[in-house]
Amino acid sequence: MGFQQHGNREVGLSGIALGSKNEYKRMHSELPEGDDDVLQQEARRKSTRKYVIACATFASLNNVLLGYDVGVMSGAVIFIKEDLKISEVKEEFLVGILSIVSLLGSLGGGRTSDIIGRKWTMAIAAVIFQMGSLIMTLAPSFSILMIGRLFAGVGIGFGGLIAPIYIAEISPNTSRGFLTTFPEIFINLGILLGYVSNYAFSGFSAHINWRIMLAVGILPSVFIGFALFIIPESPRWLVMQNRIEEARSVLLKTNDSDSEVEERLAEIQQAAGLANCEEYEQKPVWYELLFPSPSLRRMMITGIGIQCFQQISGIDATVYYSPEIFKAAGIEDNAKLLAATVAVGVTKTLFILVAIFLVDKKGRRPLLFVSTIGMTICLFSIGASLSLFPQGSFVIALAILLVCGNVAFFSVGLGPVCWVLTSEIFPLRLRAQASSLGAVGNRVCSGLVAMSFLSVSRAITVAGAFFVFAAISSLAIVFVYMLVPETKGKSLEQIELMFKNEHERQGGEMELADVEVEQLVQNKTILTK
């Protein structure tokens, strides 16, 4: 009770920092006694920050593949229809099947990562996606193209699930939200690259251009091979394998002080159940997920619910079918359609930067509220503009503006924070497989939206479809208000304790307020250096 840790300094009850640059000088000393220690701590803090950012960056490379596929397919499908003479139903199936199949990768990814580790699961994801991209590039028919989509979907399912979990497990508490947004950043970067690829290669013949577009998607996965020689295994997975010294070695590289390392290691060991193995051995993971405790049930409702709302609010329809939206507004030329989608990709990528720098400062809930409210307004306005005004330059400009606004609000909150939350809230021994259920919900909803948008828009018009998305987005606001807790600044183990008592969400934040203040100060230091 006498002292608190503040960054790498101890803080007494009086609030005076001990061991800082302003410490008292001894009567006969020329230099403060702690200067060398302070310099060493500062050097270690900078080194730690660079190392963790590098790990998060390399772990997120698989997400470029998912983003690229989403972006490139929105334009490539225009030329695939022309080259392979496929119907509108086949077009929907081609676009949406990747999300449906990726749920197989998500389901398998959780269990695989528990067996062979987070790092090597990411490697498997890259290899499977490469195979799929190569098959799609060389596909002579729609059937072979679909086989390639199946492989690509499984690879994306593996990679999209594991990256946020790995980053959350390796990150310091104070910058976990910041770092766990990296996968969403890379998804947005991939979408933008896909849009640019569409525009760049649209001038080739219809038989060649879409193949080049899909082939470019192979390149990011090559860099993932190099990443495996740089990033370490998750310390929490190592503890689960009882490889304590290896876990300590990783924590020494990702935390600012030795005392913090030992504290984190003790928390992880306790969460992993090493102190009471018999209790955990009685209940297999699948049993706990099928018959969850009240606290785990709340975690699953929150995690799976936010994943589903991310997709059923229509973001994939907006991204995959933005050319269709702009056609409904009045754009007819393919080159102009693809140029407009580039503007959407640029907006979606730029606004993710807002989430990066605010998620650990303002918290998860405020960003989710801003995001869902903004999306609801934009989605309703898209429907209103397409239904109330005739096609023309005004509606085209308004449609582009509102679609960009929708993806901007999505990138500020619901896009990145969804993955941050699901990588944080589940207990260690259940985290990978529970998160995989959330990812399955995400992929199923994504596939249903992508595979039905054209049919629904033909039945009730494009405007009507966006009115439906607006209604769903408004429900997401209520869901966030009722069921999503604030996890900012808390360790993964503290978040688990928050769910143990249904009244602890409000009280728990008050009890841990001193910890949050301390960690926000550290996070500000990390982001401003």
Side-chain angles (χ1 to χ4, degrees):
M1 295 293 294
F3 296 96
Q4 267 185 302
Q5 288 293 322
H6 189 89
N8 291 312
R9 301 176 294 170
E10 289 186 335
V11 180
L13 292 175
S14 64
I16 298 175
L18 306 178
S20 67
K21 291 183 180 180
N22 296 321
E23 61 187 325
Y24 295 107
K25 295 182 181 181
R26 294 190 177 186
M27 293 294 293
H28 302 293
S29 298
E30 294 183 1
L31 293 172
E33 184 181 318
D35 260 11
D36 287 343
D37 290 340
V38 170
L39 291 174
Q40 289 176 3
Q41 290 174 1
E42 188 68 21
R44 177 170 176 173
R45 186 180 296 113
K46 290 181 179 179
S47 175
T48 296
R49 175 176 175 268
K50 291 177 182 177
Y51 184 76
V52 175
I53 288 177
C55 290
T57 300
F58 285 118
S60 302
L61 287 175
N62 266 319
N63 294 74
V64 176
L65 307 178
L66 171 58
Y68 185 82
D69 184 272
V70 171
V72 79
M73 192 53 70
S74 69
V77 72
I78 297 173
F79 305 105
I80 292 173
K81 284 171 62 178
E82 182 181 342
D83 184 31
L84 301 182
K85 313 298 181 187
I86 62 175
S87 64
E88 187 175 272
V89 173
K90 286 185 176 181
E91 177 189 355
E92 284 185 316
F93 197 68
L94 176 67
V95 171
I97 194 63
L98 182 127
S99 295
I100 298 295
V101 173
S102 67
L103 71 86
L104 299 176
S106 298
L107 278 174
R111 180 60 179 159
T112 302
S113 72
D114 280 343
I115 296 173
I116 67 173
R118 315 314 195 205
K119 184 166 89 166
W120 294 108
T121 303
M122 289 188 277
I124 291 175
V127 171
I128 296 174
F129 184 87
Q130 279 183 323
M131 292 170 58
S133 292
L134 186 61
I135 292 171
M136 287 192 292
T137 300
L138 302 176
S141 65
F142 179 76
S143 300
I144 303 300
L145 183 64
M146 287 300 301
I147 293 174
R149 290 289 276 174
L150 297 180
F151 276 95
V154 172
I156 284 174
F158 267 85
L161 164 72
I162 296 304
I165 295 174
Y166 173 84
I167 295 170
E169 292 184 345
I170 204 170
S171 301
N173 300 337
T174 54
S175 54
R176 188 179 61 246
F178 164 69
L179 293 167
T180 313
T181 60
F182 276 35
E184 187 67 20
I185 297 171
F186 280 77
I187 287 176
N188 283 280
L189 179 60
I191 290 173
L192 177 58
L193 291 175
Y195 285 155
V196 172
S197 177
N198 288 338
Y199 186 71
F201 300 117
S202 61
F204 291 88
S205 70
H207 181 68
I208 297 296
N209 55 15
W210 65 268
R211 298 178 189 277
I212 300 175
M213 295 172 187
L214 297 178
V216 172
I218 299 174
L219 297 178
S221 59
V222 174
F223 295 101
I224 297 170
F226 296 104
L228 297 176
F229 296 99
I230 297 174
I231 63 175
E233 185 51 83
S234 159
R236 286 169 169 84
W237 182 82
L238 292 170
V239 169
M240 289 290 290
Q241 305 303 309
N242 208 18
R243 293 156 61 176
I244 307 301
E245 289 306 314
E246 292 179 60
R248 180 180 282 109
S249 176
V250 176
L251 289 170
L252 285 168
K253 297 177 182 178
T254 58
N255 288 272
D256 293 341
S257 67
D258 292 346
S259 60
E260 187 178 352
V261 167
E262 295 306 320
E263 182 182 346
R264 292 283 82 79
L265 187 59
E267 285 183 353
I268 295 168
Q269 286 180 276
Q270 185 178 10
L274 297 183
N276 191 5
C277 294
E278 295 81 5
E279 177 184 340
Y280 288 93
E281 287 173 359
Q282 291 175 358
K283 292 184 179 181
V285 170
W286 63 266
Y287 182 89
E288 291 191 58
L289 294 176
L290 288 176
F291 305 99
S293 64
S295 60
L296 180 58
R297 188 181 301 115
R298 285 192 291 275
M299 294 175 190
M300 293 177 70
I301 291 171
T302 300
I304 296 174
I306 199 69
Q307 288 277 12
C308 292
F309 272 114
Q310 189 201 54
Q311 294 299 329
I312 59 176
S313 55
I315 189 62
D316 273 7
T318 305
V319 174
Y320 273 127
Y321 295 111
S322 51
E324 294 293 329
I325 300 168
F326 298 141
K327 274 185 183 178
I331 300 178
E332 296 180 356
D333 182 69
N334 283 343
K336 292 180 179 178
L337 284 174
L338 297 179
T341 63
V342 172
V344 175
V346 170
T347 304
K348 197 170 188 297
T349 304
L350 287 178
F351 275 84
I352 190 68
L353 300 177
V354 176
I356 293 174
F357 292 106
L358 292 183
V359 68
D360 281 320
K361 289 184 177 181
K362 301 300 182 182
R364 285 51 161 163
R365 277 169 61 88
L367 291 185
L368 285 174
F369 280 126
V370 170
S371 177
T372 50
I373 293 170
M375 287 176 63
T376 302
I377 294 171
C378 289
L379 290 166
F380 181 84
S381 299
I382 291 171
S385 64
L386 293 178
S387 60
L388 296 178
F389 301 105
Q391 289 185 345
S393 57
F394 173 72
V395 176
I396 290 172
L398 192 58
I400 294 173
L401 178 64
L402 291 172
V403 169
C404 288
N406 182 54
V407 298
F409 279 113
F410 178 85
S411 291
V412 165
L414 194 56
V417 175
C418 166
W419 295 103
V420 172
L421 278 171
T422 50
S423 65
E424 291 178 327
I425 63 177
F426 294 111
L428 173 58
R429 68 185 302 271
L430 306 174
R431 184 170 298 135
Q433 295 188 57
S435 296
S436 73
L437 293 180
V440 166
N442 182 288
R443 294 294 86 203
V444 169
C445 291
S446 170
L448 291 176
V449 169
M451 294 176 75
S452 63
F453 178 77
L454 290 179
S455 299
V456 170
S457 62
R458 297 293 179 269
I460 62 174
T461 73
V462 174
F466 276 92
F467 284 132
V468 172
F469 290 142
I472 294 171
S473 183
S474 66
L475 293 177
I477 301 171
V478 179
F479 180 87
V480 171
Y481 178 78
M482 298 293 293
L483 294 170
V484 177
E486 183 55 73
T487 58
K488 174 189 67 174
K490 298 175 177 67
S491 72
L492 298 178
E493 290 70 33
Q494 287 169 343
I495 293 168
E496 180 181 346
L497 291 175
M498 266 182 20
F499 280 90
K500 296 256 177 170
N501 187 315
E502 66 181 341
H503 301 295
E504 195 172 350
R505 288 182 183 171
Q506 299 295 326
E509 290 177 17
M510 304 247 327
E511 292 167 13
L512 294 170
D514 55 337
V515 178
E516 291 185 0
V517 170
E518 170 188 331
Q519 292 175 334
L520 282 172
V521 172
Q522 291 182 12
N523 187 52
K524 183 177 180 181
T525 303
I526 289 174
L527 293 177
T528 55
K529 285 184 181 177

